Amino acid sequence: MSDSDDHQRTIGYGASALNYIKKNMLPAYPRCYELWYTYSAGYNQGLNRAINEAIKSEGRVSTDEMLTLYGRFLSPIRLGDRLDEVGTKVSKEVEELVDSLKLSADATSDYGAALEQASEKIKSVADPKKLQTYVTHLVKSTQSAVVSNRKLESQLLESKKHIENLQSSLEAIRYESLTDELTTLSNRKHFENSIERSIEQAKTGGNGFALLMTDIDHFKKFNDTYGHQTGDQVLRLVALAVKQNIKAKDIACRYGGEEFAIILPQENLDAAAEISERIRVAVMSKELVKRSTGENLGRVSISVGIAIYRNTDNVHSIVSRADEALYAAKNAGRNLVKSEKDLADAEDQVDVA
């Protein structure tokens, strides 16, 4: 996507954010602007749902409600707080487990001492009654050790369950931090991590990859005409078309508002073009109908740009080439797939002419 298109799109989100601030008579704090910008862009589905519910219930979003929503959905410390909470629980669980093991070790040591003492005494005992007393004592010690071991076993099983639950919580937090809530694709942060890793692997292992940059055609106009909720459905539709036409090893991400990035490991240009075309056709094949009214909204389309990894590439260079190809698809009429090879061929034709 060109700087001009990016400028127009983000300016639109900014203008929309300011309109919401004015409409709800809110102070123009930076966090307030961030909240309404995020709402306008549709990046955070949970936030959008909460705002829509507040407007439906109260007719507007108050300053207090705005601050609450910011803290709940956008505050940079929110994820850190959750990680700290899980970390504290893990530490507590480990401490309790260590205490239990220490108690068990003490009990085992006491039982061993009791066995050793009884063994020495039994050697010199001739009186059956005294022998019976020692045996009874040994039985009680043994029973006590069995109870202690069973208790420890139960505690270990319970701790195992707790730690597994905490591991699931950590995995859920990690998933949330790397996933776009609206589309359930990976988010921009995951894309940045993944493409850096893909470049590193390509440099060391020799396995290249293809990068697709896709953009929904005329999305801002569609969003302005039919509203953000319908726009969200379009984003989900495109995300679904992407998911259904890539492999498990491929990495699909929501790169920006209506822009998606897809990393195809070990794929060449022909394979990447075929996958791109399948995604483009899948999006076009879906006819949009507004559920609330039954109104037919027609179809949406996407444009796709393709770049193939080169040995000299860094993140900026390969993303720039894919963006240039995407922009070429837009300029050529949209609803098209263009690759960096198409750009090179067009340049060659110009040179020959």
Side-chain angles (χ1 to χ4, degrees), residues 38-111:
T38 305
Y39 176 79
S40 300
Y43 290 143
N44 190 318
Q45 185 63 10
L47 172 66
N48 282 36
R49 279 198 301 266
I51 288 178
N52 291 337
E53 288 171 4
I55 293 174
K56 184 177 180 181
S57 174
E58 305 295 332
R60 63 182 291 267
V61 176
S62 67
T63 301
D64 288 343
E65 180 69 11
M66 182 272 295
L67 293 174
T68 299
L69 290 172
Y70 182 87
R72 180 180 170 192
F73 292 101
L74 298 179
S75 173
I77 66 171
R78 186 173 64 92
L79 186 60
D81 286 345
R82 290 174 61 194
L83 287 170
D84 287 344
E85 181 183 350
V86 173
T88 299
K89 288 181 179 178
V90 170
S91 296
K92 183 179 178 182
E93 194 66 42
V94 171
E95 286 176 5
E96 291 178 354
L97 186 58
V98 169
D99 289 341
S100 297
L101 290 171
K102 185 178 179 181
L103 288 174
S104 176
D106 291 343
T108 301
S109 178
D110 291 343
Y111 179 57

Side-chain angles (χ1 to χ4, degrees), residues 91-155:
S91 296
K92 183 179 178 182
E93 194 66 42
V94 171
E95 286 176 5
E96 291 178 354
L97 186 58
V98 169
D99 289 341
S100 297
L101 290 171
K102 185 178 179 181
L103 288 174
S104 176
D106 291 343
T108 301
S109 178
D110 291 343
Y111 179 57
L115 284 177
E116 189 175 348
Q117 290 175 5
S119 176
E120 290 298 322
K121 290 179 180 180
I122 287 174
K123 290 178 182 178
S124 58
V125 172
D127 186 346
K129 289 184 178 180
K130 284 186 178 182
L131 183 60
Q132 180 64 38
T133 300
Y134 291 140
V135 170
T136 301
H137 179 69
L138 281 176
V139 170
K140 288 182 179 180
S141 295
T142 302
Q143 289 174 336
S144 177
V146 169
V147 170
S148 177
N149 285 335
R150 284 178 178 171
K151 184 178 179 181
L152 175 62
E153 182 181 1
S154 177
Q155 288 176 326

Side-chain angles (χ1 to χ4, degrees), residues 200-269:
E200 183 179 344
Q201 290 172 347
K203 288 185 184 299
T204 57
N207 293 320
F209 63 93
L211 174 63
L212 315 183
M213 299 297 288
T214 80
D215 187 82
I216 302 174
D217 299 326
H218 303 297
F219 183 74
K220 184 179 183 303
K221 181 180 178 181
F222 188 94
N223 227 15
D224 292 343
T225 303
Y226 299 110
H228 291 293
Q229 290 185 331
T230 304
D232 288 348
Q233 294 301 320
V234 172
L235 290 167
R236 292 193 189 97
L237 180 152
V238 174
L240 181 61
V242 169
K243 290 177 189 176
Q244 291 176 339
N245 287 282
I246 61 174
K247 301 172 184 175
K249 65 181 177 65
D250 302 330
I251 303 167
C253 310
R254 187 180 178 192
Y255 187 77
E258 66 270 25
E259 195 171 7
F260 300 84
I262 308 163
I263 301 171
L264 306 175
Q266 302 176 23
E267 298 290 7
N268 59 27
L269 180 58

Side-chain angles (χ1 to χ4, degrees), residues 172-216:
I173 292 172
R174 178 182 177 277
Y175 175 82
E176 180 181 328
S177 71
L178 298 175
T179 303
D180 175 65
E181 185 180 8
L182 176 63
T183 62
T184 68
L185 297 178
S186 299
N187 61 17
R188 177 71 172 264
K189 178 181 177 182
H190 191 198
F191 169 77
E192 291 171 351
N193 293 338
S194 298
I195 195 164
E196 286 181 358
R197 186 167 57 250
S198 296
I199 289 174
E200 183 179 344
Q201 290 172 347
K203 288 185 184 299
T204 57
N207 293 320
F209 63 93
L211 174 63
L212 315 183
M213 299 297 288
T214 80
D215 187 82
I216 302 174

Side-chain angles (χ1 to χ4, degrees), residues 337-351:
V337 175
K338 291 285 185 180
S339 71
E340 57 182 333
K341 183 176 182 300
D342 295 322
L343 300 185
D345 290 345
E347 289 178 1
D348 289 342
Q349 289 176 6
V350 170
D351 290 341

